[in-house]
Amino acid sequence: MIPISKPLLGEEEQAAVRRVIESGMLAQGPRVAEFERAFAGFIGVNHAIATSNGTTALHAALLAHGVGPGDEVITTPFTFMASVNSILFTGARPVLVDIDDSFNLNPELVEAAITPHTKAIMPVHLYGQPANLGALDQIARRHNLALVEDACQAHGAEFAGRRAGSFGTGCFSFYATKNMTTGEGGMITTDDEGIAQRARMIIAHGMKVRYYHETLGYNYRMTDLAAAIGIEQLKKLPAFNARRAANAAWYDQHLANIPGLITPSVGPDRTHVYHQYTIRITPEYGLSRDALVEQLGKRGIGSAIYYPIPMHRQHSMRAYSVGELACPITEQMADEVLSIPIHPSVTESDRLVIADALISARQ
Ligand SMILES: *Cc1c(COP(=O)(O)O)cnc(C)c1O
């Protein structure tokens, strides 16, 4: 069986966790501070704030920017529910704008969706490819809006030589399937001292000084156990990402001439960290996507559809007012996308098996 994702932890993580257990300091302590410093350095920002997961990072980042009831936040309907839920948690209204064929927000449509209520733009760097951060950063500046990047799938990805998560306020996830993991975990990155201070308070019950609560806050803190794993994973991340990129380059070449199968494209000025390698199965392929998933499964190949239902069509969203614009590209991509194994443990023989299955399934 070739799984669609596989966390890679070794002796280093085991030893680091053992040292935390032996220290007796299990909650937020020296390892969290060390992980924050290392991650801030990696992204190229002044501040990083560790959180309990990526969703809480997004929620706290929006709150730190003052997003609340009456505000609108522009984001994409082609994402994981956490992006939109984090907006709903603040009481703000998500405004969903269509994507382009890079699977990311279309900046032109973003600008057209801005109203006097718009407070923030939340691009999602889907599958590990940065959205058009140059254009979105300009739009945010021109309209005086916060830019909150959902970089939960984009650890180490770059736009114009700068890391995703360093343009606006970056939010990362260290869930088990991501490019690096702490089991569950998250991080907020920013150059803005004020945002960093507010985020730090919001994730700790609104306290700066212990038991003096200045604002409503939550317990969204990371543990030293998780941070100890994160420090080791961060050291390995460049090698992990290089293996993902090498697998992707191989697929790009070997899946290029299959009729009806479209390989992912990378926009200008971007480095893609391939959290997912996502192909499109179009009618010309001759076999439905569902039938292909079944064929792959029979041959022991894991695959997955990220994501089959756009956010504006989710049942949970019926209770909320959502700015739902026409999203034809999102609808099309939701019907066509299929992610195949790309993680660092995928070997050359795995790739051959997968490519052969994709070629022969349509015959
Ligand atoms: C994983 C993910 C999140 C949420 O992260 P968790 O750590 O699972 O809370 C948010 N947005 C996107 C795009 C993600 O992939």
Side-chain angles (χ1 to χ4, degrees):
M1 183 72 199
I2 309 170
I4 183 67
S5 68
K6 188 179 174 192
L8 264 176
L9 293 100
E11 289 295 327
E12 299 81 4
E13 287 83 355
Q14 286 189 32
V17 167
R18 209 176 306 118
R19 283 194 297 273
V20 174
I21 292 170
E22 285 162 6
S23 81
M25 296 256 298
L26 303 184
Q28 198 164 39
R31 293 289 81 78
V32 168
E34 183 186 342
F35 185 31
E36 289 176 338
R37 276 194 303 276
F39 201 80
F42 176 73
I43 297 300
V45 293
N46 292 328
H47 309 278
I49 299 102
T51 62
S52 49
N53 58 60
T55 311
T56 54
L58 286 163
H59 184 204
L62 289 168
L63 292 174
H65 279 280
V67 173
D71 294 330
E72 292 178 350
V73 179
I74 297 173
T75 193
T76 161
F78 198 54
T79 183
F80 178 54
M81 196 77 224
S83 318
V84 173
N85 278 351
S86 69
I87 299 167
L88 291 172
F89 295 162
T90 69
R93 181 169 182 259
V95 173
L96 304 176
V97 165
D98 209 5
I99 56 173
D100 57 31
D101 64 7
S102 75
F103 307 116
N104 280 326
L105 269 180
N106 179 337
E108 277 172 37
L109 300 178
V110 167
E111 185 140 38
I114 292 171
T115 74
H117 300 292
T118 308
K119 184 91 177 191
I121 303 171
M122 182 194 282
V124 179
H125 308 312
L126 201 71
Y127 307 142
Q129 172 167 213
N132 187 343
L133 280 165
L136 293 170
D137 188 40
Q138 272 183 18
I139 292 167
R141 284 171 197 276
R142 199 153 56 232
H143 297 270
N144 198 22
L145 305 174
L147 184 67
V148 176
E149 297 174 60
D150 182 339
C152 288
Q153 301 187 356
H155 318 69
E158 292 179 8
F159 184 92
R162 278 170 60 193
R163 291 244 151 92
S166 72
F167 284 76
T169 300
C171 299
F172 293 85
S173 166
F174 307 119
Y175 181 67
T177 59
K178 310 285 170 157
N179 290 34
M180 59 175 283
T181 184
T182 62
E184 298 268 13
M187 193 76 81
I188 300 168
T189 54
T190 179
D191 270 331
D192 185 318
E193 168 97 44
I195 294 295
Q197 278 186 11
R198 277 197 290 283
R200 231 174 243 300
M201 287 209 299
I202 288 159
I203 68 156
H205 288 299
M207 302 185 283
K208 216 182 295 174
V209 178
R210 189 169 289 206
Y211 307 131
Y212 289 73
H213 303 269
E214 297 181 30
T215 176
L216 181 67
Y218 302 82
N219 177 358
Y220 284 173
R221 292 179 304 252
M222 180 179 276
T223 65
D224 257 28
L225 288 164
I229 297 172
I231 291 163
E232 299 307 321
Q233 287 274 295
L234 182 60
K235 291 179 196 161
K236 300 177 181 180
L237 179 66
F240 287 167
N241 281 350
R243 268 148 73 185
R244 287 175 183 269
N247 284 338
W250 191 94
Y251 283 140
D252 284 346
Q253 198 186 337
H254 290 82
L255 304 180
N257 297 314
I258 306 175
L261 185 157
I262 302 173
T263 56
S265 63
V266 182
D269 283 340
R270 273 155 257 208
T271 60
H272 194 319
V273 293
Y274 293 100
H275 172 59
Q276 298 297 343
Y277 188 88
T278 302
I279 57 175
R280 289 164 52 198
I281 302 299
T282 67
E284 205 198 339
Y285 186 74
L287 186 72
S288 76
R289 182 179 59 175
D290 285 352
L292 175 60
V293 167
E294 204 185 306
Q295 295 265 328
L296 292 175
K298 277 191 191 142
R299 297 177 68 153
I301 301 165
S303 64
I305 297 162
Y306 306 113
Y307 297 90
I309 314 279
M311 294 303 105
H312 53 278
R313 291 205 276 113
Q314 294 289 344
H315 188 268
S316 69
M317 298 292 280
R318 291 184 196 177
Y320 299 93
S321 155
V322 175
E324 160 187 348
L325 307 157
C327 294
I329 309 294
T330 294
E331 301 283 348
Q332 182 189 346
M333 297 305 165
D335 288 342
E336 292 181 354
V337 289
L338 183 66
S339 298
I340 58 174
I342 189 72
H343 53 83
S345 302
V346 170
T347 63
E348 168 146 39
S349 69
D350 293 338
R351 293 187 312 232
L352 283 164
V353 166
I354 293 165
D356 181 56
L358 289 167
I359 292 162
S360 56
R362 61 185 295 278
Q363 284 153 8

